[in-house]
Amino acid sequence: MFDCFFPDKYVASTYVIDFEKMYENGVRGLIFDIDNTLVPHGAPADHRAIALFERLKAIGYRCCLISNNQKPRVEMFNKDVQVDYVYDAHKPSTKNYIRAMEIMGTDRDTTVFIGDQLFTDVWGAKRAGIPNILVKPIHPKEEIQIVLKRYLEKIVLHFYKKSLKHEKKVEKSRNLL
């Protein structure tokens, strides 16, 4: 029922993802949300974000930010990380996920999307056919419309975690055969 919103992977933070392993597995393009994925809502790129993008570029990745924010917000963040970007993206519309891949020269098999919201970030990536990673929001202070969505996300994540437990039980029983 909720599985159209289930992420492909759910981790504590963007900063714990094993990007080297993903590159070894053929991923060449990374699409990122900004607010609460890389920095707290409205914040400029901090030392962690700057170091992350330097590391990603050194590995060989192409990166693109897609944000529902307006151009001044996205440009302010991107000033210090210097990657491609799409602002006013209208996520979960698939149009700008596809545009980001075109900009990077990647496709659905070589791209991963990383974001903090199920109903915009993950759902849009899934609809575009892009593997995705959901990260826990960096900071609890958010706009009211996002706070309200977080309550619904808790319900979906409850069923997501329950489905993971079920999958593990099924896999364990298959290994017994």
Side-chain angles (χ1 to χ4, degrees):
M1 178 166 127
F2 292 118
D3 44 343
C4 67
F5 299 111
F6 289 177
D8 294 324
K9 191 171 184 179
Y10 183 33
V11 299
S13 167
T14 300
Y15 300 98
V16 301
I17 297 171
D18 189 345
F19 290 106
E20 287 79 6
K21 183 176 180 184
M22 286 174 38
Y23 195 85
E24 287 173 17
N25 291 335
V27 176
R28 295 297 181 262
L30 299 170
I31 304 172
F32 289 92
D33 174 53
I34 299 171
D35 288 330
N36 264 339
T37 299
L38 295 164
V39 293
H41 186 80
D46 59 16
H47 69 281
R48 277 194 328 171
I50 295 166
L52 174 66
F53 283 99
E54 286 174 358
R55 180 174 139 222
L56 295 174
K57 290 173 192 177
I59 293 169
Y61 281 110
R62 291 291 310 268
C63 299
C64 188
L65 308 169
I66 66 171
S67 175
N68 285 347
N69 283 301
Q70 297 303 307
K71 188 175 183 178
R73 164 66 183 125
V74 178
E75 283 184 336
M76 182 258 288
F77 176 84
N78 193 48
K79 179 174 65 83
D80 292 321
V81 298
Q82 294 296 302
V83 296
D84 293 311
Y85 63 86
V86 177
Y87 61 89
D88 195 21
H90 299 283
K91 295 179 289 180
S93 170
T94 60
K95 177 183 169 188
N96 287 308
Y97 291 84
I98 294 164
R99 185 168 166 221
M101 288 186 290
E102 289 170 353
I103 290 168
M104 295 186 300
T106 60
D107 58 31
R108 289 167 177 86
D109 295 326
T110 59
T111 305
V112 170
F113 177 85
I114 298 135
D116 71 298
Q117 292 188 52
L118 286 176
F119 302 126
T120 52
D121 298 330
V122 169
W123 192 39
K126 287 180 81 78
R127 290 175 59 231
I130 302 170
N132 59 82
I133 301 173
L134 177 69
V135 297
K136 292 181 182 175
I138 289 176
H139 196 276
K141 185 177 181 242
E142 297 180 296
E143 297 171 343
I144 187 65
Q145 71 271 19
I146 297 172
V147 171
L148 297 173
K149 284 194 282 185
R150 295 288 186 206
Y151 287 111
L152 297 173
E153 284 184 353
K154 284 181 184 179
I155 295 167
V156 174
L157 288 172
H158 165 79
F159 287 102
Y160 168 72
K161 290 172 185 174
K162 195 172 179 177
S163 76
L164 290 179
K165 287 179 185 175
H166 176 73
E167 287 176 20
K168 284 181 183 177
K169 284 182 183 177
V170 170
E171 185 64 31
K172 186 176 179 182
S173 66
R174 284 186 186 143
N175 290 337
L176 294 174
L177 301 177

